[in-house]
């Protein structure tokens, strides 16, 4: 008896020493197996969850001779289901009679006492700890070197709502939440095919964040898919709190002002991207899903472009592209023309501008940059303030500051008009990150215009175009299909042809299956004939 107790103590101490070898929890218990002795497993797990007040250890007995222990995290597991489905059958019903050929206790419990769909049999302490931290319930049995891990997640979650940043006039109203499996299920509802694959990866040594790589087999190119796997698997970080943590690790050019990875909260946008041959990256605890590769033109496309008739969409896109260029060039062109090339302005308009600038102490570039800075400050303040007062403060602030600045003679009225027009134009960009890149580039363009005039604006535009031509997103040219030119893929760039004309997927993204729809489906209305 003494020898047996000594051996138990030696095994227990050995396990604790192995756990203390490294600092991270995952490496502590990675290679440690569960012990048949329940007491030893309990001590090891209590040591791991030391000072974790939300970790619950519940001991129960079946038929007074089989000892069990339940381990779960309070707040992450569904305790109501745990009581009704697991505890009550075990404590009151006991072992069923006529078990047949099920001599092992863990088989009896798994197949007869635990009425839960998803139950895993694990043999490593690491698997038990990871399961408990995910909201699952671990069931350990005395005399068995394995544990049952039952899926009983029951934490609070946000309901499915329409994304505020990607609202549409016509289209679905659901959006992603912070729960990974809810997000993947929203995509499964739309793409009901076994070819839709979802590969799971865990990133974060401490956070242990679940990541899912989604793609459609046969449509997504193997080269892009393999590159996505490689870039995510090489990430070594302690925690992942949001999708940007992953985005900055896998993008091609970190110091480019233009985003190379698209993000969206809309399941329909993700599904349409998957059907084009792109790859989606789901990250747990965030409603934003990443899509790669991204092109410059996809950043200018909105969900409504595909829910309205093609004629309306083409008209709106022309307006949107015009406003996009105004958001970048309007302030710099105004500064360049007024400062260096006033002969380009009609005489009547030039006299009006000169009269409004009389008494203004600053040069045109200074007053324009000052108003741009104040406008960006008001926009940022409107975002950070509570929603109930944010919009009111930004609008009233813009009106009051603009009017007061003109009356005080600090800036001229045309500058206020130019800055306001530029701000409105920047709101027409569907993707926030792409609009931010143009807001960022507006200030270097102002400096070039103030120093070199219209020649500086031309030089700045050339530098931007050259940079866009060099930019890549997972090996795909950023300006595809315009540069390099793929004529047949221009059907969904500047214009959008009707659905019956979009028969092929983009050639620069899709894999082997490039056919999207059958050709020859153009409507051909005919007169109805009355049968005689």
């Amino acid at each position: 008896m003494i020898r047996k107790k000594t051996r138990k103590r030696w095994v227990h101490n050995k396990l604790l020493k192995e756990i203390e070898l490294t600092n991270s929890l995952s490496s502590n218990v990675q290679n440690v197996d569960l012990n048949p002795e329940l007491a030893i497993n309990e001590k090891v797990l209590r040591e791991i969850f030391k000072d974790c007040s939300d970790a619950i250890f519940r001991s129960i007995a079946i038929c007074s001779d089989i000892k069990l222990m339940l381990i779960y995290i309070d707040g992450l597991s569904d305790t109501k289901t745990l009581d009704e489905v697991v505890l009550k059958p075990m404590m009151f019903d006991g072992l069923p009679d006529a078990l047949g050929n099920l001599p092992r206790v863990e088989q009896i419990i798994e197949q007869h006492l635990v009425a839960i769909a998803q139950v895993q049999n694990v043999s490593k302490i690491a698997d038990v700890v990871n399961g408990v931290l995910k909201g699952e319930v671990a069931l350990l049995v005395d005399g068995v070197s394995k544990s049952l891990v039952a899926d009983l997640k029951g934490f609070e979650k946000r309901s499915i709502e329409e994304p505020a940043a990607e609202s549409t006039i016509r289209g679905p109203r659901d959006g992603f939440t912070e729960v990974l499996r809810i997000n993947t299920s929203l995509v499964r509802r739309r793409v009901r095919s076994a070819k839709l694959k979802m590969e799971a990866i865990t990133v974060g040594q401490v956070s242990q964040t679940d990541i899912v790589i989604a793609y459609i087999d046969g449509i997504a190119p193997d080269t892009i898919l393999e590159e996505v796997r490689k870039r995510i698997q090489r990430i070594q970080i302690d925690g992942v709190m949001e999708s940007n943590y992953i985005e900055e690790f896998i993008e091609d050019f970190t110091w480019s002002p233009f985003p190379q990875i698209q993000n969206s909260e809309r399941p329909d946008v993700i599904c349409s991207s998957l059907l084009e041959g792109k790859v989606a990256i789901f990250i747990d605890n965030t409603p934003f899903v990443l899509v790669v590769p991204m092109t410059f033109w996809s950043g200018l496309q909105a969900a409504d472009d595909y829910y309205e008739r093609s004629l309306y969409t083409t008209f709106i896109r022309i307006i949107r592209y015009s406003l996009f260029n105004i958001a970048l060039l309007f302030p710099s062109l105004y500064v360049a023309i007024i400062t260096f090339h006033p002969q380009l302005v009609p005489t009547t308009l030039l006299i009006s501008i000169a009269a409004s600038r009389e008494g203004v102490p600053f040069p045109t570039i200074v007053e324009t940059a000052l108003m741009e800075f104040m406008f960006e400050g008001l926009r940022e303040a409107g975002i950070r303030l509570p929603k109930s007062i944010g919009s009111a403060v930004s609008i009233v602030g813009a009106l009051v500051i603009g009017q007061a600045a003109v009356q005080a003679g600090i800036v001229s009225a045309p500058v206020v008009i130019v800055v306001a027009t530029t701000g409105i134009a920047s709101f027409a960009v569907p993707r926030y990150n792409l609009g931010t890149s143009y807001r960022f580039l507006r200030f270097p363009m102002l400096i070039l215009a103030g120093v070199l005039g219209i020649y500086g604006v031309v030089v700045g535009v050339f530098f931007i175009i050259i940079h866009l031509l060099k930019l890549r997103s997972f090996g795909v040219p950023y300006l595809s299909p315009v540069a390099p030119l793929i004529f047949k893929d221009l059907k969904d760039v500047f214009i959008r042809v009707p659905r019956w004309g979009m028969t092929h997927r983009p050639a620069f993204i899709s894999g082997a299956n490039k056919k999207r729809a059958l050709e020859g489906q153009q409507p051909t209305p005919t007169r109805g004939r009355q049968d005689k």
Side-chain angles (χ1 to χ4, degrees), residues 107 132 182 199 208 232 250 256 290 306 344 363 417 445 478:
Q107 289 180 300
V132 171
I182 292 180
E199 301 179 3
Q208 293 290 303
I232 293 180
I250 64 177
S256 172
L290 304 180
Y306 302 93
L344 297 177
I417 296 174
M445 293 293 292
Y478 199 59

Side-chain angles (χ1 to χ4, degrees), residues 6-194:
T6 304
R7 176 162 181 79
K8 286 183 180 180
R9 192 180 300 110
W10 177 81
V11 173
H12 171 236
N13 294 334
K14 181 181 178 182
L15 289 174
L16 291 180
K17 287 180 180 179
E18 291 184 20
I19 291 173
E20 295 173 356
L21 287 177
T22 55
N23 293 325
S24 65
L25 178 61
S26 59
S27 59
N28 285 344
V29 294
Q30 188 65 36
N31 298 318
V32 179
D33 294 323
L34 287 167
N35 194 277
E37 298 291 337
L38 180 60
I40 294 178
N41 294 329
E42 180 183 357
K43 290 180 180 179
V44 173
L45 291 169
R46 284 188 181 276
E47 185 67 24
I48 294 173
F49 289 105
K50 183 180 179 180
D51 297 330
C52 297
S53 59
D54 54 349
I56 308 300
F57 290 76
R58 174 69 184 276
S59 299
I60 60 175
I62 301 178
C63 302
S64 303
D65 57 350
I66 301 177
K67 297 180 180 179
L68 300 91
M69 173 163 288
L70 296 172
I71 306 173
Y72 61 93
I73 299 295
D74 188 19
L76 293 183
S77 300
D78 187 356
T79 55
K80 183 177 180 181
T81 304
L82 176 64
D83 294 338
E84 296 178 354
V85 178
V86 179
L87 290 178
K88 286 183 179 179
M90 289 183 181
M91 298 176 66
F92 297 104
D93 297 339
L95 295 177
D97 298 330
L99 291 176
N101 297 322
L102 291 175
R104 300 179 62 85
V105 177
E106 68 271 18
Q107 289 180 300
I108 297 172
I109 295 173
E110 179 181 2
Q111 300 184 22
H112 288 267
L113 295 184
V114 180
I116 301 172
Q118 297 184 15
V119 179
Q120 292 182 346
N121 231 321
V122 300
S123 59
K124 299 284 186 181
I125 290 182
D127 297 331
V128 175
V129 174
N130 291 334
V132 171
L133 292 175
K134 291 178 180 179
E136 299 172 342
V137 177
L139 176 61
L140 288 82
V141 184
D142 192 18
V144 179
S145 58
K146 292 183 178 181
S147 172
L148 295 180
V149 179
D151 189 0
L152 280 173
K153 300 183 183 72
F155 46 82
E156 295 294 329
K157 50 185 176 292
R158 183 169 59 92
S159 60
I160 297 175
E161 302 171 349
E162 182 181 8
E166 297 180 76
S167 59
T168 59
I169 298 175
R170 177 180 177 181
R173 302 296 181 184
D174 55 346
F176 291 129
T177 67
E178 287 75 17
V179 182
L180 178 64
R181 282 308 169 196
I182 292 180
N183 297 342
T184 56
S185 66
L186 291 175
V187 174
R188 282 283 184 192
R189 285 177 54 191
R190 290 169 168 82
V191 183
R192 300 175 183 179
S193 173

Side-chain angles (χ1 to χ4, degrees), residues 334-335 338 352-375 378 397-420 446:
Y334 173 79
V335 170
I338 297 300
S352 175
I353 294 175
S356 64
R357 294 201 74 256
E358 186 178 359
V360 176
F362 304 112
T364 306
I365 181 175
V366 174
E367 60 173 338
T368 306
L370 180 63
M371 287 303 299
E372 284 286 354
F373 181 80
M374 290 303 302
F375 187 87
L378 287 171
L399 293 174
V400 171
I401 292 177
Q403 184 67 22
V406 172
Q407 291 182 353
I410 298 175
V411 296
S412 59
V415 169
V416 177
I417 296 174
V418 169
V419 173
L446 270 176

Side-chain angles (χ1 to χ4, degrees), residues 186-477:
L186 291 175
V187 174
R188 282 283 184 192
R189 285 177 54 191
R190 290 169 168 82
V191 183
R192 300 175 183 179
S193 173
K195 291 184 178 295
L196 175 58
K197 309 298 181 182
M198 295 189 177
E199 301 179 3
I201 300 176
T202 302
V203 177
Q205 297 176 359
V206 178
S207 67
Q208 293 290 303
T209 304
D210 293 327
I211 295 177
V212 170
I213 302 174
Y215 61 94
I216 299 179
D217 190 20
I219 297 181
D222 294 335
T223 53
I224 295 178
L225 183 59
E226 187 60 32
E227 185 65 21
V228 172
R229 293 195 192 104
K230 186 188 303 181
R231 295 189 187 186
I232 293 180
Q233 289 173 352
R234 72 186 182 192
I235 297 176
Q236 298 294 329
I237 190 174
D238 56 351
V240 177
M241 300 294 106
E242 214 277 329
S243 58
N244 181 259
Y245 282 58
I246 302 298
E247 180 178 350
E248 292 191 6
F249 275 103
I250 64 177
E251 61 184 354
D252 290 66
F253 298 92
T254 301
W255 304 112
S256 172
F258 294 94
Q260 301 123 56
I261 298 176
Q262 182 179 341
N263 63 76
S264 178
E265 293 183 79
R266 297 186 62 89
D268 54 328
V269 172
I270 301 303
C271 291
S272 61
S273 300
L274 293 174
L275 291 171
E276 287 184 350
K278 297 181 180 180
V279 179
I281 304 172
F282 294 81
I283 297 96
D284 198 11
N285 301 315
T286 176
F288 290 92
V289 177
L290 304 180
V291 179
V292 295
M294 177 185 177
T295 63
F296 178 79
W297 314 108
S298 62
L300 290 173
Q301 296 170 355
D304 273 326
D305 292 353
Y306 302 93
Y307 300 141
E308 296 290 348
R309 299 179 65 228
S310 60
L311 187 63
Y312 304 158
T313 298
T314 301
F315 174 69
I316 294 299
R317 279 190 179 178
I318 293 173
I319 295 177
R320 187 183 300 149
Y321 288 0
S322 302
L323 292 174
F324 190 61
N325 291 322
I326 289 174
L328 175 67
L329 301 176
F330 194 22
S332 55
L333 284 175
Y334 173 79
V335 170
I337 291 174
I338 297 300
T339 306
F340 293 94
H341 314 282
Q343 65 274 13
L344 297 177
V345 184
T347 305
T348 306
L349 179 59
L350 184 62
I351 293 174
S352 175
I353 294 175
S356 64
R357 294 201 74 256
E358 186 178 359
V360 176
F362 304 112
T364 306
I365 181 175
V366 174
E367 60 173 338
T368 306
L370 180 63
M371 287 303 299
E372 284 286 354
F373 181 80
M374 290 303 302
F375 187 87
E376 293 297 329
L378 287 171
R379 184 192 308 214
E380 188 68 15
I383 295 174
R384 304 305 165 198
L385 286 171
K387 292 183 179 180
S388 57
I389 62 173
S391 58
V393 168
S394 59
I395 294 173
V396 173
L399 293 174
V400 171
I401 292 177
Q403 184 67 22
V406 172
Q407 291 182 353
I410 298 175
V411 296
S412 59
V415 169
V416 177
I417 296 174
V418 169
V419 173
T421 304
T422 304
I424 294 173
S426 64
F427 288 124
V429 181
R431 302 293 170 189
Y432 176 79
N433 50 4
L434 186 60
T436 304
S437 66
Y438 262 32
R439 288 163 54 193
F440 170 78
L441 291 172
R442 197 182 301 155
F443 290 95
M445 293 293 292
L446 270 176
I447 296 174
L448 289 173
V451 175
L452 300 176
I454 201 167
Y455 302 105
V457 177
V458 174
V459 169
V461 171
F462 274 142
F463 270 107
I464 292 174
I465 293 176
I466 292 172
H467 175 71
L468 290 174
L469 290 171
K470 294 173 59 179
L471 208 56
R472 296 289 187 275
S473 177
F474 284 79
V476 175

